[in-house]
Amino acid sequence: MEHHPVPTTVLWDIDGTLVRNAVSPGNLYHQALERAMGQELPQLVGHQHGRTDAGIIAEHVRAHELGDEVIPLVSRHLRDLSEERHRSGEHRVAAPGAAALVARFAGLGWRNGLLTGNSAFRARVKLSGAGFDVDAFDWDHSYFGDEAVERAGVTALAAADLAGTRAVIVGDTPRDGEAADAVGIPFLAVATGVYDVDALRRTNAVAIARDCVADAALIEDAIAALPPLRPADDD
């Protein structure tokens, strides 16, 4: 397919998309809450894929009937725990073909950004631990969920910044798709997380890839065919 010279930004999700999901997802948030409170607590909240850090922390705090003023402290402990795990050698694993596709898009002149529920710090830790070159991503055009309770708050920032250019969100969960739909950014689904191809067909994805190896060409062609986002001042 011909690639027209329209400025293009590929906004990658991290967990389940660029890197494999953690073996025990959600435990770190609970441990951060325990550190903040200085005691062991029953785990009342299960992990929900596609949520933001801020949203998951808020749910843990409220499930224990604690005040929201605790949330910033829990967030700091989450950062500390992420760094401790990284330094101990507990690293994430890159999803097959993801790094190669990032390099391929850069070669086409496309911008590789991030749109993730994690903070920028946790994004760097996960990506570097999985063997990615963090400088392959445009951090000035990346969007993070450490302050937005709902993922649509993150996608809204991206839509405002990228209006009038071509952009796409690549993610592995229906929540990624719902947040993209909320602001009019196309969603491209990859079945490398907990949701399979059949489950992702229930989203409005412009394409659904099995992974970044078998369907690398499908992903590239689907992005190349997208029109620019509507300018922010359009009705």
Side-chain angles (χ1 to χ4, degrees):
M1 174 174 291
E2 182 180 358
H3 298 290
H4 299 287
V6 178
T8 300
T9 303
V10 182
L11 296 170
W12 294 91
D13 173 54
I14 296 179
D15 294 290
T17 303
L18 288 174
V19 306
R20 293 295 197 188
N21 283 314
V23 175
S24 301
N27 286 352
L28 212 60
Y29 301 94
H30 179 69
Q31 291 172 21
L33 178 61
E34 289 184 325
R35 276 200 183 181
M37 302 311 298
Q39 60 181 340
E40 292 186 0
L41 297 168
Q43 186 156 345
L44 303 179
V45 177
H47 186 63
Q48 298 181 46
H49 295 277
R51 295 289 304 278
T52 65
D53 282 356
I56 296 171
I57 289 171
E59 189 168 358
H60 276 269
V61 167
R62 293 164 188 170
H64 286 276
E65 299 182 345
L66 301 169
D68 284 0
E69 67 275 4
V70 177
I71 291 175
L73 179 58
V74 179
S75 296
R76 289 196 292 274
H77 283 299
L78 179 64
R79 175 189 171 116
D80 292 344
L81 284 164
S82 299
E83 184 173 19
E84 289 168 19
R85 285 194 176 186
H86 179 72
R87 288 183 174 177
S88 73
E90 188 174 333
H91 297 159
R92 302 294 281 275
V93 176
L101 208 50
V102 168
R104 167 64 181 168
F105 292 167
L108 294 172
W110 296 355
R111 176 191 292 146
N112 287 291
L114 300 167
L115 196 148
T116 171
N118 297 152
S119 66
F121 177 82
R122 296 189 71 219
R124 287 181 182 274
V125 165
K126 289 181 180 181
L127 291 172
S128 63
F132 284 89
D133 176 5
V134 295
D135 292 330
F137 298 93
D138 186 328
W139 295 85
D140 291 330
H141 293 89
S142 292
Y143 307 90
F144 305 99
D146 51 325
E147 295 184 359
V149 171
E150 299 299 333
R151 200 175 186 97
V154 186
T155 55
L157 294 174
D161 283 353
L162 301 173
T165 69
R166 181 164 56 198
V168 62
I169 292 170
V170 181
D172 68 298
T173 76
R175 278 197 172 94
D176 297 324
E178 291 164 4
D181 291 346
V183 299
I185 300 178
F187 170 57
L188 194 153
V190 290
T192 45
V194 297
Y195 294 91
D196 62 17
V197 169
D198 286 339
L200 292 169
R201 285 199 180 104
R202 293 191 283 273
T203 71
N204 293 321
V206 296
I208 302 168
R210 291 164 291 176
D211 57 47
C212 292
V213 177
D215 290 326
L218 169 71
I219 296 170
E220 180 180 325
D221 287 346
I223 296 171
L226 293 172
L229 302 180
R230 294 174 63 183
D233 56 357
D234 277 11
D235 292 333

